[in-house]
Amino acid sequence: MEDYGLSVWGDNNFSIEGDTVNILYGNNPSLLDITKNIRDMGYRGPILLRFPHLIKKQIDSLFQEFYRAKNEFEYQGDFKAVFPLKVNQYPSFIHSLLDVSSEYNYGLEAGSKAELIIAMALTPKGAPITVNGFKDREMISLAFIAAKGGHNITLTIEGINELETILEVDKEFNKDDTNRVTPNIGMRIRLHSSGIGVWAKSGGYGSKFGLTSTELLEAYEMLKKENLVDKFAMIHFHIGSQMSEIAPLKKALREAGNIYAELKRRGANGLRAINIGGGLAVEYSQHKANANRNYSIKEFANDVVFLMQEISKSKGVEEPDIYTESGRFIASSHTVLIAPVLELFSQEYNERSLRLKENNPPLIQELYDLYNSISRHNAREYLHDALDHMESLLTLFDLGYIDLEDRSNSEILVNLIIKKAISLLENEDSQEMKRLQDRIEERYLVNFSIFQSLPDFWGLGQNFPVMPISKLSSRPTRSASIWDITCDSDGEIAFDAKAPLLLHDVDVKKEEYFLAFFLTGAYQEVLGMRHNLFTHPTEVTVKFNENGDYFFENIIEAQNLMDVLDDLDYDTGKIDKALKTLIDESSLIDDTQKQELLGKLYLYLSENSYLKTIIAENYDRGI
Ligand SMILES: *Cc1c(COP(=O)(O)O)cnc(C)c1O
């Protein structure tokens, strides 16, 4: 049975039960059942499902592993974590995140003013807020307002000039020295060791962020002069996202740990935390051979705690609180994008479509005979003959010797012969067979936009696990490439013989066939672009009650056409008027027809950009 690599990337969140892929939670509903229920409510196009229980699972796993490591090593510092908002700021996600993490005092990390406002408004009092990235006077002032409101907030400085601004803002906000309230100050260090992978530039000397040792010492002196050393609470680094190996992290921890210890020994009395940033990787691969990471969360927690302890002991300083800002690890598994297949492009390659004549050109006749007599022992030979004939027939067409119908017949016959040969030679794993898989690949047109829903596939070549949500007990036979509905040739996930995706042969006019894309909960939603004006898909939060039954919350429908135009700052009033005038003043139609057309037009304007998939039997019923 094809399991689409569930055992590699699935993390025991899903399992295949008979025909369907089911959620290993509550009463184990299938994704198909959930999808049908949502579509029965009238929603069409792609649907983004959110599962808060999977957010909770990741947060539990992060905290429990660090708590365990702390106990095992008898580590004296605390473990704390914040969620970096840039990974996913969507309210349905953030509200669920805060909801399921209340027992841990989990906080938020902000990298811009808008994110800081979210953090100030939603972080529970006492839970940490960290602020990274470049800041101006206004952003720093916002952090002072948060601190004065009682938030536990740390401003991580990226350069000396930010510290200068903080000192100025401090004077402005704390004119009266007896009641001095300021945010904690963290310093991002520019590591000598660099990150790895695509995001390597987040760390290392060439990094966009952080202070050199010279700047660190300078900053420390400035704080001392202003009597603010007590507020210097945190050392921070972040070596980049999706770390495939643990070794670079260990190097960075040694470097940062020693910087922490050195500053402590210098008299940084308020310094009590080391913030190791994010970077915990997620396994996206559907094929074991292409696995994305070589460590577990357990190993990660052990290494961090052990190294911090070792360094603190050898330098005789107290063990720091450990902060993490893992985002991808927390958010990616919580969404599943479900998208309907609209069409299989080469489905017309079947016997019924042949237009054979009474007298066919000899090569066509020969192809027809090959097709009818191909068998296991002659499959390879006949296949080669067919490919050879195809070349000749195309040349004959170019020279004007055969017509379009002949050409169509040869395309169909050769396609059918390749398919038959592949199934006859099923047990052969030759290079040639792999190449042929490519040649008869089926193009599945899918009702979604790669630019909107999988931007990292487009931008970084990041693969996401994909599988159908039905028919899973039958063998998929078609090597598949996936095409989205944008008018952009980049909107394609090509067939890859090294990591083949096989899908089922379905007649989508008769039965619905949906693909699910997994692990899309980190970065994809906000990076998603409205290329061709396709918008964020309809989203639904799926929760479970005490009996294990699922229910829906926060259904947010994809934006309608006029709202999309409004977002681009079109004057929708004018557009509305122009459309109305177009119909009203038309001399081609009478008044009754005008009414009818306007009715239709306004109905369409109230809907989203995605295509409507309705299978034939439902047309009459209008659903
Ligand atoms: C992006 C970012 C993170 C999150 O990284 P993940 O790889 O998603 O865990 C954490 N900290 C900082 C400073 C970041 O810029």
Side-chain angles (χ1 to χ4, degrees):
M1 191 184 65
E2 171 71 57
D3 81 340
Y4 293 95
L6 252 181
S7 60
V8 185
W9 59 267
D11 201 23
N12 290 321
N13 293 334
F14 305 95
S15 77
I16 293 176
E17 306 290 337
D19 262 348
T20 57
V21 53
N22 292 31
I23 297 161
L24 283 175
Y25 196 77
N27 296 332
N28 300 355
S30 67
L31 289 175
L32 184 66
D33 188 59
I34 291 175
T35 303
K36 286 197 158 154
N37 267 326
I38 294 169
R39 286 173 66 86
D40 281 349
M41 292 188 275
Y43 299 103
R44 289 289 178 276
I47 301 165
L48 188 74
L49 303 175
R50 292 190 200 279
F51 295 103
H53 75 276
L54 292 178
I55 310 174
K56 176 152 178 42
K57 179 181 167 186
Q58 295 307 101
I59 294 174
D60 283 343
S61 141
L62 180 70
F63 278 88
Q64 296 305 334
E65 281 302 337
F66 270 95
Y67 287 169
R68 178 201 50 73
K70 241 167 63 70
N71 277 338
E72 252 174 65
F73 294 97
E74 293 178 26
Y75 188 81
Q76 299 305 307
D78 266 346
F79 173 72
K80 296 184 179 171
V82 290
F83 179 79
L85 280 163
K86 80 163 187 285
V87 177
N88 195 327
Q89 306 91 336
Y90 272 75
S92 300
F93 167 72
I94 291 295
H95 288 303
S96 292
L97 176 98
L98 294 170
D99 206 34
V100 300
S101 66
S102 52
E103 68 192 278
Y104 296 117
N105 222 21
Y106 192 42
L108 295 172
E109 182 265 358
S112 68
K113 287 180 208 174
E115 288 181 358
L116 180 52
I117 294 297
I118 299 176
M120 285 167 69
L122 301 183
T123 310
K125 274 277 180 70
I129 298 176
T130 61
V131 187
N132 299 317
F134 299 110
K135 304 161 209 67
D136 63 1
R137 194 183 176 98
E138 207 172 289
M139 188 158 166
I140 288 168
S141 304
L142 283 171
F144 273 77
I145 294 171
K148 294 228 168 201
H151 267 312
N152 167 13
I153 184 168
T154 305
L155 272 173
T156 304
I157 58 169
E158 308 278 358
I160 292 287
N161 54 345
E162 272 181 15
L163 183 56
E164 281 164 358
T165 315
I166 291 175
L167 298 178
E168 283 166 32
V169 176
D170 176 47
K171 293 208 171 75
E172 180 192 328
F173 276 71
N174 292 307
K175 287 192 190 99
D176 168 13
D177 226 22
T178 54
N179 191 19
R180 193 177 191 185
V181 180
T182 66
N184 291 317
I185 291 166
M187 294 194 200
R188 181 159 179 171
I189 53 180
R190 186 172 294 241
L191 292 169
H192 163 66
S193 49
S194 68
I196 38 164
V198 219
W199 289 273
K201 56 183 182 296
S202 308
Y205 268 135
S207 161
K208 194 167 142 192
F209 302 108
L211 284 74
T212 62
S213 354
T214 318
E215 289 168 325
L216 270 174
L217 291 172
E218 196 182 327
Y220 179 69
E221 297 303 325
M222 282 166 74
L223 287 171
K224 221 157 112 181
K225 196 163 139 241
E226 298 294 331
N227 214 6
L228 271 176
V229 167
D230 286 353
K231 282 287 159 186
F232 171 35
M234 183 185 282
I235 285 289
H236 176 240
F237 70 88
H238 170 65
I239 63 170
S241 208
Q242 187 67 0
M243 297 181 312
S244 54
E245 319 165 20
I246 197 89
L249 176 75
K250 287 188 177 175
K251 257 180 105 174
L253 282 166
R254 285 211 179 83
E255 201 179 333
N258 278 300
I259 289 175
Y260 160 81
E262 287 293 319
L263 288 165
K264 282 298 273 188
R265 295 217 297 202
R266 237 168 212 275
N269 293 323
L271 183 57
R272 58 182 175 275
I274 186 146
N275 179 343
I276 64 169
L280 253 176
V282 163
E283 185 54 73
Y284 291 99
S285 178
Q286 289 188 271
H287 300 270
K288 212 174 182 114
N290 309 337
N292 294 153
R293 56 160 193 212
N294 75 348
Y295 58 91
S296 63
I297 171 81
K298 181 173 175 192
E299 181 180 349
F300 177 84
N302 283 346
D303 283 349
V304 174
V305 172
F306 174 79
L307 281 170
M308 281 308 119
Q309 184 165 59
E310 191 185 56
I311 294 165
S312 305
K313 274 197 176 137
S314 76
K315 295 232 159 160
V317 296
E318 67 194 273
E319 294 165 358
D321 293 345
I322 295 166
Y323 280 67
T324 74
E325 296 176 333
S326 270
R328 184 186 297 275
F329 176 80
I330 299 295
S332 59
S333 65
H334 95 282
T335 59
V336 179
L337 178 79
I338 307 278
V341 172
L342 295 168
E343 199 176 329
L344 277 64
F345 277 116
S346 58
Q347 212 151 40
E348 69 271 24
Y349 288 144
N350 57 42
E351 267 190 86
R352 267 174 296 133
S353 313
L354 285 170
R355 298 159 188 270
L356 292 173
K357 306 167 181 163
E358 214 139 285
N359 282 315
N360 295 297
L363 278 177
I364 299 270
Q365 192 56 49
E366 207 165 310
L367 277 180
Y368 190 69
D369 295 341
L370 287 174
Y371 172 59
N372 282 311
S373 53
I374 190 167
S375 67
R376 232 182 92 73
H377 75 275
N378 66 22
R380 184 173 294 278
E381 184 189 337
Y382 280 23
L383 174 69
H384 291 156
D385 288 348
L387 294 174
D388 204 35
H389 291 350
M390 181 80 199
E391 289 303 315
S392 310
L393 282 159
L394 287 174
T395 310
L396 288 174
F397 180 79
D398 291 347
L399 297 172
Y401 289 111
I402 64 170
D403 65 18
L404 194 55
E405 283 193 334
D406 297 326
R407 179 172 160 153
S408 154
N409 288 333
S410 58
E411 280 171 7
I412 296 172
L413 284 167
V414 170
N415 193 279
L416 290 173
I417 290 168
I418 297 176
K419 269 191 239 169
K420 234 179 175 178
I422 283 180
S423 78
L424 290 167
L425 299 171
E426 198 193 337
N427 299 325
E428 273 191 39
D429 188 27
S430 66
Q431 281 308 316
E432 181 177 25
M433 283 302 127
K434 290 214 172 94
R435 268 202 310 280
L436 287 170
Q437 286 279 4
D438 248 354
R439 185 144 171 183
I440 54 151
E441 76 173 30
E442 179 59 88
R443 291 175 291 158
Y444 286 73
L445 179 68
V446 182
N447 199 1
F448 82 130
S449 156
I450 286 173
F451 301 89
Q452 171 59 234
S453 293
L454 307 176
D456 277 348
F457 174 79
W458 178 69
L460 299 165
Q462 172 69 61
N463 282 304
F464 294 87
V466 52
M467 68 189 285
I469 62 173
S470 59
K471 293 190 163 293
L472 291 166
S473 57
S474 39
R475 212 170 67 93
T477 51
R478 311 300 310 274
S479 31
S481 60
I482 291 173
W483 292 65
D484 74 6
I485 55 170
T486 64
C487 303
D488 190 313
S489 51
D490 274 356
E492 180 203 357
I493 303 174
F495 180 73
D496 176 2
K498 289 195 198 76
L501 173 67
L502 295 176
L503 295 175
H504 298 90
D505 208 353
V506 284
D507 184 351
V508 290
K509 291 199 184 66
K510 297 213 183 81
E511 61 176 325
E512 293 171 311
Y513 190 64
F514 300 97
L515 297 184
F517 297 86
F518 296 85
L519 303 176
T520 60
Y523 297 103
Q524 304 316 292
E525 290 192 61
V526 180
L527 283 175
M529 350 167 199
R530 290 181 293 180
H531 192 19
N532 260 167
L533 300 186
F534 291 107
T535 58
H536 193 257
T538 296
E539 59 166 291
V540 182
T541 300
V542 185
K543 287 188 168 177
F544 292 82
N545 67 19
E546 316 81 75
N547 300 326
D549 296 324
Y550 69 82
F551 62 96
F552 301 137
E553 243 179 35
N554 301 328
I555 302 186
I556 303 173
E557 193 166 6
Q559 271 187 318
N560 72 32
L561 301 182
M562 278 306 211
D563 287 345
V564 177
L565 299 183
D566 191 46
D567 269 5
L568 294 186
D569 285 335
Y570 274 98
D571 183 336
T572 46
K574 268 193 186 156
I575 288 186
D576 187 272
K577 214 163 146 203
L579 292 172
K580 200 158 178 293
T581 313
L582 181 77
I583 308 286
D584 276 345
E585 294 180 1
S586 169
S587 57
L588 305 170
I589 41 179
D590 64 23
D591 281 356
T592 342
Q593 256 195 326
K594 283 181 183 171
Q595 282 311 315
E596 201 182 303
L597 291 188
L598 279 173
K600 281 205 165 127
L601 182 62
Y602 282 106
L603 177 66
Y604 301 154
L605 289 177
S606 71
E607 290 167 354
N608 64 56
S609 289
Y610 291 100
L611 304 183
K612 289 269 168 89
T613 46
I614 305 176
I615 59 175
E617 61 171 305
N618 289 338
Y619 263 115
D620 301 338
R621 294 194 286 144
I623 57 173

